[in-house]
């Protein structure tokens, strides 16, 4: 069993708990909440991340046939239910409990399309607040996955106005603004050009470096939103001026991405926690830091000709 508490946002909010009995509630195709009440003294959940890592390691070692079966299931579900591609994404087809080999009742998840968090989204904000205040969560993990259909939908764009297009609108805007090198090259490669007046409109391949990079950046954006707008924002900003012992919460937020093709979970190195306290060691493999274009220097410049020296009089 895990020794701490975790909330997975898949967005995952992953919660792992210390002990006690579990209860669960399920609503719709997205939201699934599972939790256990803790008892006894409260401990730092440092070993919780290690438990998740070891569980994922076991999953990868034994997942060769399982991943093949999942891939077939994904293909079959996409062909049978093509209209539901956004609601049946990886964390629903393959649960966090499976990915991390977590004990039943040790994880609570809050799912939505495209790993998004906004304080205007009452459902997700309430889940986070409840997890922190009532369940004593110690770790929140935003868990994206490569090949995310919600992110792919945002990349493809849509002229049709409906609830899905409205929901992914922030991702569309973020995609058009993103300055990461891989994303810029990927975005430019899909633009209209001679022979392709509409550009590339097909769903990008999950292995495309640009698509993978944008999935990562989207997770980072959600972690940043949690830092700026969630219940932790005010608490941590206020406690930055107070002694560490007066910090109202001891919650650590992490950004991870799951790779369906390998079963591996990677760390995006964007974790944050209470001011003045060190982030617990994250055992998951960290990916290389992203390189951004910080200006328009990559665009061609106009040649204005040589500057001739002034003639002396």
């Amino acid at each position: 069993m895990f020794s701490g508490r975790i909330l997975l946002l898949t967005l995952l909010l992953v919660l792992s708990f210390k002990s006690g009995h579990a209860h669960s509630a399920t609503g719709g195709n997205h939201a699934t909440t599972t939790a256990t009440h803790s008892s006894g003294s409260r401990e730092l959940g440092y070993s919780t991340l290690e438990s998740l890592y070891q569980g994922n390691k076991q999953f990868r070692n034994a997942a060769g046939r399982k991943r093949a079966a999942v891939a077939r299931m994904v293909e079959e579900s996409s062909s049978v239910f093509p209209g539901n591609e956004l609601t049946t994404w990886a964390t629903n087809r393959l649960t966090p409990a499976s990915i991390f080999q977590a004990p039943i009742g040790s994880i609570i998840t809050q799912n939505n399309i495209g790993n998004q968090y906004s304080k205007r989204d009452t459902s997700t904000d309430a889940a986070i607040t409840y997890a922190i205040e009532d369940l004593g969560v110690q770790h929140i993990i935003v868990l994206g996955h490569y090949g995310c259909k919600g992110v792919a939908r945002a990349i493809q764009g849509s002229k049709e106005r409906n609830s899905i297009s409205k929901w992914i609108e922030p991702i569309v805007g973020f995609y058009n603004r993103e300055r990461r090198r891989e994303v810029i090259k990927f975005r430019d490669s899909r633009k209209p050009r001679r022979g392709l007046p509409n550009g590339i409109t097909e769903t990008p391949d999950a292995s495309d470096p640009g698509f993978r990079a944008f999935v990562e950046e989207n997770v980072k954006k959600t972690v940043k939103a949690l830092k700026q707008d969630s219940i932790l924002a005010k608490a941590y900003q206020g406690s930055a001026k107070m002694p560490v012992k007066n910090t109202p919460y001891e919650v650590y937020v992490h950004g991870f991405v799951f790779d369906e093709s390998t079963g591996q979970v990677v760390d995006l190195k964007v974790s944050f926690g209470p001011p003045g306290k060190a982030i617990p060691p994250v055992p998951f493999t960290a990916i290389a830091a992203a390189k951004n274009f910080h200006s328009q220097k990559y665009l061609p410049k106009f040649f204005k000709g040589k500057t001739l020296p002034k003639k002396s009089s």
Side-chain angles (χ1 to χ4, degrees):
M1 289 293 289
F2 297 166
S3 63
R5 304 171 181 83
I6 297 181
L7 173 65
L8 267 179
L9 283 168
T10 46
L11 207 102
L12 272 192
L13 301 176
V14 175
L15 304 174
S16 87
F17 298 85
K18 184 176 176 183
S19 62
H21 63 280
H23 64 85
S24 64
T26 303
N29 291 329
H30 297 300
T32 304
T33 304
T34 306
T36 59
H37 295 290
S38 62
S39 61
S41 61
R42 186 171 184 272
E43 299 179 8
L44 292 177
Y46 288 5
S47 63
T48 299
L49 294 177
E50 179 64 28
S51 299
L52 291 177
Y53 172 74
Q54 292 299 331
N56 180 245
K57 186 176 180 180
Q58 293 175 15
F59 170 76
R60 296 198 312 271
N61 291 339
R65 294 182 179 178
K66 289 182 181 178
R67 285 200 301 271
V70 169
R72 287 195 300 271
M73 182 176 66
V74 171
E75 291 177 1
E76 291 171 1
S77 65
S78 297
S79 61
V80 177
F81 304 109
N84 293 332
E85 59 183 290
L86 290 176
T87 63
T88 56
W89 50 307
T91 47
N92 285 337
R93 295 189 296 258
L94 196 58
T95 66
S98 298
I99 295 170
F100 297 109
Q101 297 290 283
I104 295 174
S106 63
I107 287 178
I108 179 173
T109 65
Q110 173 71 16
N111 299 351
N112 69 39
I113 299 172
N115 296 100
Q116 297 190 78
Y117 168 76
S118 169
K119 60 184 177 182
R120 294 187 295 274
D121 175 12
T122 306
S123 175
T124 300
D125 196 50
I128 295 172
T129 303
Y130 175 70
I132 293 172
E133 292 192 336
D134 292 67
L135 301 179
V137 171
Q138 288 181 300
H139 292 274
I140 297 177
I141 299 173
V142 180
L143 179 63
H145 71 281
Y146 295 119
C148 175
K149 297 293 186 181
V151 173
R153 177 70 173 263
I155 289 173
Q156 289 175 279
S158 176
K159 295 181 179 180
E160 183 182 356
R161 294 294 297 174
N162 53 33
S163 58
I164 297 176
S165 61
K166 185 176 180 180
W167 175 260
I168 63 174
E169 201 169 63
I171 305 179
V172 175
F174 179 56
Y175 171 66
N176 291 328
R177 299 189 306 271
E178 176 54 36
R179 307 300 301 163
R180 183 166 166 176
R181 290 185 178 183
E182 299 98 315
V183 178
I184 291 178
K185 293 178 180 177
F186 172 74
R187 188 172 60 220
D188 288 348
S189 71
R190 297 177 63 87
K191 289 181 177 180
R193 56 183 180 274
R194 182 177 296 179
L196 282 174
N198 296 321
I200 298 175
T201 58
E202 291 80 10
T203 303
D205 189 272
S207 63
D208 189 293
F211 186 16
R212 291 170 69 90
F214 186 58
V215 166
E216 295 167 1
E217 295 306 311
N218 191 53
V219 170
K220 293 178 184 178
K221 181 172 74 74
T222 298
V223 172
K224 184 178 180 180
L226 286 168
K227 188 175 185 179
Q228 294 178 338
D229 297 325
S230 73
I231 185 176
L232 297 175
K234 185 177 180 180
Y236 285 178
Q237 289 169 6
S239 63
K241 301 178 181 179
M242 297 187 293
V244 173
K245 64 180 181 180
N246 292 329
T247 301
Y249 307 114
E250 189 173 336
V251 180
Y252 301 90
V253 181
H254 315 276
F256 295 167
V257 180
F258 172 64
D259 190 336
E260 286 184 342
S261 64
T262 64
Q264 185 179 24
V265 174
V266 295
D267 173 29
L268 300 182
K269 301 291 288 183
V270 290
S271 302
F272 72 89
K277 292 198 175 185
I279 303 296
V282 179
F284 293 93
T285 301
I287 62 171
K291 295 182 179 180
N292 295 346
F293 284 115
H294 298 291
S295 68
Q296 302 290 336
K297 292 180 180 179
Y298 71 99
L299 294 175
K301 298 293 188 295
F302 290 104
F303 179 64
K304 298 180 181 180
K306 294 182 179 180
T307 302
L308 299 176
K310 293 182 180 180
K311 292 182 180 181
S312 57
S313 56

